[in-house]
């Protein structure tokens, strides 16, 4: 609990519309949802894409709100005078309501990120996997007999974990909203965590959800074609990602917490742009931020602080050496594919920048738990490989299919790579055609289906994907099956020994949106059910 005056001190740009007496009002909670207002609540009116929170100020006042924060002048707020806004109900006008929401939430929680070493991970692909690898490394570095889960918490788009304990963040999310981010960070502090890993999406950064998080290390996986429906241009998308790196210069240093920016030197989409953003900040700041680059030896024209060498791939593991500024050591990862080599290298570079010893990096990478919906194998005894993966961009789909190709026809069997995927409605339209081209070129058979069509016409989305597929595949190499459950069933039924069947695009998500309604959905459950229905056939064929 804090007074309104104490909260005001966290918002230097606020214009006051209340008396000195009102400044002593106790604030017990904060929300941007008028339906959650209770007596003692602070309501923050946030302008949104579909709804403007300022319209709901009268509803918040009717619920007994203690005070209101908004961007608009009182003269533009409906029934402000009639409801006593600015007179009996204090009103604080700010330049950016979303940013204000983040800071008042952090203030009410005691600014928990200031008591943690915080790592932000951004990028188009691999954020969740990289965050999970890093969590495993930090667990290995801080684990004790009394606390085997280590002193680390993580917030990803899949969920949150605090010292190994799972906390669900919702059905279909990016970075959680500011109140939840700060609540999770507070819980980490209360649980005795030393480190926090925060997956930071472009939406979360642009919408100020992590604005009040004091980051110590920022890391990027890559930046490719995605989310242009929201950001408008690639430049705006990159600028949103760069906000994480600019945030390194916005908070005071913490004792014993190194400050570093970790860049992928092999990724042309991010390296130069983020180096330029860092250079701009360094010109006007006295803070010392180390820039650490990683990549595969011989790939990049840039020098590498951490270089991957001697890569060896197997069906269920990947081995390589890491050469860093302190020497060289071998790494073994249970993850397959070159893109996961980059994810591991990114996590390792962050850990080394934090002063984590190589032995903990080795243990953490080797012992990391599976990441839901990331190259996740579904096995009920079938004679082929069934995979669920989150690949939902042209680049991630290409990487996934390239990774799975060597697993087709193993053990001397013939085989096909069967790809099942769609593309989301009300999102980047251009990637539909591009993903179709990727699958038409790299998969042996493509099944086009639904993936969150929302209010768009599902058949039209499928036809846009089909246009790309047909550039490389004839009509005997693809089919459109709009119902995703039926599409997965069809892929399983056509599969034979040596095949790989992979459902892409949903991964960890637990809902699918049709119209404006989220319906429960799980690719894992759908794949497992389809495999079970065919189990009798495989038993007969094996006799």
């Amino acid at each position: 609990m804090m007074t309104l005056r104490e909260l005001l001190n966290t918002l230097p740009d606020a214009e006051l519309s209340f008396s000195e007496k009102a400044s002593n009002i106790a604030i017990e909670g904060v929300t941007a949802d008028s339906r959650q207002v209770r007596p003692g609540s602070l309501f923050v009116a946030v302008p949104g894409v579909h709804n403007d929170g300022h319209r709901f100020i009268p509803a918040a006042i009717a619920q007994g709100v203690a005070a209101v924060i908004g961007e608009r002048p009182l003269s533009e707020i409906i029934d402000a005078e009639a409801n006593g806004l600015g007179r009996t109900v204090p009103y604080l006008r700010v330049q950016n309501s979303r940013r204000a929401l983040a800071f008042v939430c952090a203030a009410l929680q005691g600014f928990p990120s200031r008591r943690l070493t915080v790592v932000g991970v951004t990028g188009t692909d691999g954020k969740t996997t990289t965050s999970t690898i890093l969590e495993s490394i930090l667990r290995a570095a801080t684990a004790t007999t009394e606390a085997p889960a280590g002193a680390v918490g993580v917030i990803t788009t899949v969920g949150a974990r605090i010292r190994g304990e799972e906390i669900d963040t919702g059905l279909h999310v990016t970075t959680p909203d500011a109140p939840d981010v700060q609540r999770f960070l507070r819980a980490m502090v209360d649980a005795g965590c030393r480190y926090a890993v925060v997956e930071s999406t472009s939406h979360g950064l642009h919408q100020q959800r992590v604005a009040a998080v004091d980051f110590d290390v920022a890391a990027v996986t890559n930046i490719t074609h995605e989310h242009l429906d929201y950001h408008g241009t690639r430049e705006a998308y990159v600028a949103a990602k760069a906000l994480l790196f600019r945030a390194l210069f916005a908070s005071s240093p913490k004792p014993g917490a190194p400050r570093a920016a970790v860049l992928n030197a092999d990724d042309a989409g991010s390296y130069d742009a983020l180096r330029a953003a860092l250079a701009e900040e360094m010109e006007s700041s006295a803070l010392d931020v180390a820039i650490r680059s990683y990549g595969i030896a011989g790939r990049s024209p840039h020098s590498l602080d951490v270089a991957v060498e001697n890569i060896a791939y197997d069906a269920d593991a990947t081995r390589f050496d890491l050469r860093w500024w302190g020497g060289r050591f071998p790494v073994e990862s249970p993850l397959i594919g070159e893109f996961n080599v980059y994810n591991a290298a990114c996590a390792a570079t962050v850990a080394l920048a934090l002063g984590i010893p190589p032995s903990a990096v080795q243990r953490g990478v080797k012992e990391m738990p599976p990441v839901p919906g990331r190259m996740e194998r579904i096995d009920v005894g079938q004679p082929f490989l069934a995979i669920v993966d989150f690949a939902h961009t042209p680049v991630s789909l290409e990487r996934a299919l390239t990774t799975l190709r060597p697993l087709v026809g193993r053990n001397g069997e013939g085989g096909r790579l069967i790809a099942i995927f769609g593309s989301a409605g009300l999102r980047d339209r251009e990637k539909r055609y591009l993903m179709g081209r990727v699958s038409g070129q790299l998969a042996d058979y493509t099944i086009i289906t639904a993936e969150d069509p929302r209010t768009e016409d599902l058949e039209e989305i499928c036809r846009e994907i089909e246009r790309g597929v047909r550039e490389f595949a004839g009509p005997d190499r693809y089919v459109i099956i709009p119902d995703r459950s039926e599409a997965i069933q069809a892929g399983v039924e056509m599969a034979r020994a040596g095949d790989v069947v992979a459902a892409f695009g949903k991964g960890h998500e637990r809902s699918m949106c049709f119209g404006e309604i989220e319906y429960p959905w799980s690719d894992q459950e759908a794949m497992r059910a389809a495999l079970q229905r065919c189990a009798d056939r495989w038993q007969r064929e094996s006799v």
Side-chain angles (χ1 to χ4, degrees), residues 226-389:
E226 178 66 330
H227 298 311
L228 299 191
D229 58 293
Y230 176 84
H231 296 286
T233 66
R234 179 181 175 82
E235 290 73 21
Y237 178 45
V238 174
K241 297 291 190 185
L243 291 173
L244 176 62
F245 293 84
R246 296 184 186 278
L248 295 175
F249 300 86
S251 58
S252 300
K254 305 168 192 172
R259 192 157 297 207
V262 174
L263 306 181
N264 183 348
D266 294 353
D267 182 48
S270 65
Y271 186 79
D272 290 338
L274 294 179
R275 286 285 308 217
L278 288 164
E280 287 179 9
E281 295 293 336
M282 287 179 174
E283 284 183 3
S284 58
S285 174
L287 288 175
D288 183 21
V289 175
I291 301 177
R292 297 296 188 183
S293 63
Y294 67 93
I296 294 176
R299 292 280 181 90
S300 173
H302 309 287
S303 62
L304 299 176
D305 294 293
V306 175
V308 178
E309 300 176 333
N310 306 320
I311 304 173
Y313 298 107
D314 203 349
D316 54 1
T318 304
R319 297 170 183 83
F320 53 88
D321 293 331
L322 275 186
R323 174 171 49 82
W324 65 300
W325 58 91
R328 181 192 304 267
F329 58 93
V331 175
E332 179 179 333
S333 169
L335 304 176
I336 59 175
E338 184 177 273
F339 62 95
N340 277 318
V341 171
Y342 278 103
N343 293 336
C346 181
T349 304
V350 171
L352 294 168
L354 287 171
I356 303 300
S359 58
V361 174
Q362 290 172 306
R363 289 198 309 275
V365 174
K366 186 174 183 178
E367 298 171 2
M368 69 163 289
V371 183
R374 269 64 173 180
M375 284 294 170
E376 183 176 353
R377 302 186 185 205
I378 310 297
D379 191 351
V380 300
Q382 75 274 7
F384 56 86
L385 189 60
I387 296 288
V388 169
D389 188 71

Side-chain angles (χ1 to χ4, degrees), residues 155-166:
I155 303 171
T156 73
T157 57
V158 174
R161 283 179 300 279
I162 300 174
R163 301 195 85 139
E165 182 179 347
E166 294 280 349

Side-chain angles (χ1 to χ4, degrees), residues 119-121 128-140 152 196-197 217 219 343 346-352 354 356 364 368:
V119 179
V121 179
T128 300
T129 300
T130 299
S131 297
T132 304
I133 298 171
L134 180 57
E135 176 199 16
S136 185
I137 293 171
L138 296 174
R139 286 179 63 170
V152 58
V197 182
V217 179
N343 293 336
C346 181
T349 304
V350 171
L352 294 168
L354 287 171
I356 303 300
M368 69 163 289

Side-chain angles (χ1 to χ4, degrees), residues 454-471:
R454 298 186 173 88
T455 55
E456 280 200 61
D457 181 80
L458 174 55
E459 292 185 2
E460 176 60 27
I461 294 174
C462 292
R463 284 193 293 270
E464 291 182 45
I465 298 172
E466 179 190 24
R467 185 166 60 90
V469 173
R470 291 182 62 177
E471 288 196 12

